[in-house]
Amino acid sequence: PYQSCTPVLIAGSRDTDVRTAAYDLEHLCKGKRVLDLGCNTGFLTLAAASYGQSALGLEHVQALVDIGSRVTAFLGVSNCDLQCGDAETFTRDTPFDVVIAAAIHGWMTMPLPDLGRHFASLTSAGGAVLFESQGQRSTTVVEEGFQDKVAAVAAAGFQVERQGLLCDDAVNKRAFVILRKDA
C-alpha cells in the first residue's frame, strides 16, 4: 500500500506515523473539521480524525476508498468518512478548518492560482491548508519550483505559517507548508 496504518499492522511506502509527527497533525487538527483531498486509502485521514472533530477523505479511485472504509469500520472510527470524488470539482457549503493537499497538485489540471482559490473556497477564515510537494525520486532534492507554487497558492489569501521537510519513504524528500487563511 501507499500509506501505512499502524493500528492494523499495514506497512506502506509512506509512513503515516512519520508524516503525522512531521506535520504536527495533533496540533493542526485538534478539534477541527478536516478535509483530505486525494486521500488514497485514507490512512492519513484516519490519523487526522484521531485528533479532529471530524475528517472527510476524498479520493477518485473507489477501490482505495473501499480499503480505507473497511479499515475505518474495523477500527470503529465514527468521525472519519471516506468518499469517492474529484478534488478539483468538490465543493461544500460549510468550509473546513483544515484542508490537507499532500502531493496532489501534480495530478490536478487546474492552474495553481485557480487551485489556491479552490483551497480558499474549502477553508474557513483562519483555517489552514497543508500543502506538500510531489516526490522526485531523490532523498536530497525536493520538487523544483515548489516555493513558487506555494506563492501562487498563497496569493489566494493565505500566509505561510510553517514549513518543513520530510523523507518518510526513504525515496522522496518532500517539502510541506502550512498555509493559514486570512481571517
Side-chain angles (χ1 to χ4, degrees), residues 2-124:
Y2 180 68
Q3 299 175 354
S4 67
C5 187
T6 302
V8 291
L9 306 175
I10 295 175
S13 59
R14 295 208 62 192
D15 187 321
T16 300
D17 295 337
V18 169
R19 294 172 79 192
T20 298
Y23 305 146
D24 191 12
L25 283 188
E26 180 176 6
H27 176 259
L28 185 65
C29 298
K30 188 172 182 83
K32 307 288 187 200
R33 291 168 293 116
V34 179
L35 171 64
D36 186 359
L37 296 170
C39 71
N40 196 272
T41 54
F43 297 155
L44 186 64
T45 317
L46 272 167
S50 71
Y51 304 112
Q53 174 186 343
S54 63
L56 171 62
L58 191 69
E59 171 57 47
H60 73 280
V61 177
Q62 184 64 54
L64 296 172
V65 171
D66 293 344
I67 292 166
S69 295
R70 286 185 179 142
V71 170
T72 300
F74 176 79
L75 293 173
V77 177
S78 62
N79 68 334
C80 183
D81 183 29
L82 304 177
Q83 297 178 6
C84 190
D86 182 356
E88 291 187 63
T89 60
F90 178 79
T91 60
R92 182 62 65 102
D93 290 338
T94 305
F96 294 85
D97 304 310
V98 176
V99 174
I100 298 172
I104 64 165
H105 61 280
W107 305 105
M108 298 177 83
T109 60
M110 62 176 43
L112 287 166
D114 293 343
L115 185 60
R117 287 187 286 278
H118 185 52
F119 290 164
S121 75
L122 296 171
T123 308
S124 61

Side-chain angles (χ1 to χ4, degrees), residues 135-176:
Q136 301 298 297
R137 298 281 181 218
S138 171
T139 58
T140 60
V141 177
V142 298
E143 178 182 357
E144 185 175 339
F146 183 66
Q147 289 304 318
D148 293 335
K149 294 172 184 176
V150 168
V153 169
F158 296 94
Q159 303 300 320
V160 174
E161 181 174 281
R162 182 168 58 90
Q163 302 182 56
L165 297 169
L166 75 155
C167 186
D168 58 296
D169 61 2
V171 176
N172 295 292
K173 184 174 186 179
R174 298 176 193 264
F176 69 90

